[in-house]
Amino acid sequence: MRFTPPSGPPITFRARLHDARTATVIGRLLGLAVLVCFATGVLSHCLQHPPAWLADRLPSRPYWGYRLTQGLHVAAGTAAVPLLLAKLWAVYPRLFAWPPVRSVRHALERLSVAVLVAAGTFELFTGLLNTVQWYPWPFPFVPVHYAVAWLLLGAMLLHVAVQWPAIRGHFTRRSPGTLALPEADGPDRRQLLAAVAAGVGVVTLTTVGQSVTALGPLELFGPRSPAHGPQGLPVNRTAAAARVTGAALADWRLTVTGPRPYSLTLEELRALPQHEVALPLACLEGWSKSARWTGVRVRDLLERAGGGPGARCRVVSLEVAGAYRVTEMGRGYAQDPLSLLALRLNGEVLSLDHGYPARIIAPNRPGVLQTKWVGRLEVA
Ligand SMILES: Nc1nc2c(c(=O)[nH]1)N[C@H]1C(S)=C(S)[C@@H](COP(=O)(O)O)O[C@H]1N2
Ligand SMILES: [Mo]
């Protein structure tokens, strides 16, 4: 490819590795990763902020569903980082094509590429920093990451539509476009793709241990590794950060409001029928870990307050302020026998950081909704 700047000698890029075939091979993997991130991200968003008509229909099974989809979300996003870098590298000579704008169609095409690159970089960058719990920006992560995802999807679909002739010509080894390339380009491309594959492999293996317990030993990002933290579980928000102190808990009672409101001391709660479940805690930042929880079924507590078989509830934490102080529990979750107001974790009384004296644990749910330091349940 040749680029003639307005002044000075022309620059020639070697076509090999900056050709359409390389861009297509990397692009379709990147596209796949983006689609996986998009689908799992929209799902995660629906579980956290369901529209009213959906709230009571959300399925609480399979109990490992969110652990799987959010693990995929973060793994696909992480793998997309080396893919995006390789893709940009493969196509960057085109950014210097001259003249910069040849027609209205060409101008639109370049604009869509600019949006695509910006949105893609933004999503991967913010997502990656989110997985290490670092928020060095002035906007709220979740709504902005979600909104830009739609922009990215739109720009990607437009890009595929505009580039369709080139993509189709290079999609498979037998595509007519491929045959026109010099034989000598083959080994170079294979080396490049092997390097990209190695990059994807390394970032995946060193991060996926945060949700695939068997690969935990390969995890390189210790602070978030599920092996760390009291009682074998990491802690995102500590009791100190939530300003839940021993003093506030001294005369703790669980209040349940509804047609027949009541309140219970911790002793009285412990005297109710206890159930043990094995459920994962799956944080949307990417780590997840299964644990044994013991406590009282949410549906039993709601029933006692006069909530019928279709009862749902609102969960209110003792936490003074915070995005997850109040959470909603739709009917599907509230009535699932696996949903507990847990008092014990892995055989021990909950530690303060894990939500002592009582916390919610329910199947197929984002970690942000597994409310800690529960003070009140409101039957609706
Ligand atoms: N009240 C309250 N509960 C909360 C949170 C919170 O900020 N406040 N954080 C949630 C998040 S984001 C996660 S991932 C889990 C983590 O639970 P753990 O700290 O016991 O591992 O708790 C959830 N429960
Ligand atoms: Mo979380």
Side-chain angles (χ1 to χ4, degrees), residues 126-210:
T126 54
L128 201 64
L129 291 198
N130 173 259
T131 68
V132 291
Q133 296 182 15
W134 184 24
Y135 301 88
W137 44 69
F139 49 82
F141 167 75
V142 173
V144 177
H145 191 72
Y146 180 68
V148 176
W150 287 91
L151 192 65
L152 174 57
L153 183 77
M156 193 176 87
L157 293 180
L158 186 63
H159 180 68
V160 170
V162 169
Q163 296 291 345
W164 187 245
I167 295 173
R168 194 184 44 192
H170 296 279
F171 203 77
T172 64
R173 215 179 282 272
R174 290 169 188 280
S175 304
T178 319
L179 298 177
L181 293 172
E183 277 293 303
D185 284 5
D188 275 11
R189 186 176 303 105
R190 269 196 295 281
Q191 274 168 17
L192 172 73
L193 295 180
V196 173
V200 170
V202 167
V203 298
T204 304
L205 279 177
T206 53
T207 52
V208 82
Q210 62 189 303

Side-chain angles (χ1 to χ4, degrees), residues 133 230 233-238 242 244 281-285 287 293 316-319 321-327 345 350-351 353-355 359-360 366-374:
Q133 296 182 15
L233 268 188
V235 171
N236 261 26
R237 188 164 164 82
T238 61
V244 178
L281 198 66
C283 179
L284 56 89
E285 285 161 343
W287 61 266
W293 308 89
V316 185
S317 171
L318 299 179
E319 191 181 346
Y324 309 117
R325 194 179 79 86
V326 179
T327 53
L345 162 58
L350 278 176
S351 68
D353 282 340
H354 282 310
R359 78 171 299 164
I360 292 294
V368 291
L369 300 180
Q370 311 282 31
T371 315
K372 303 195 277 194
W373 316 290
V374 172

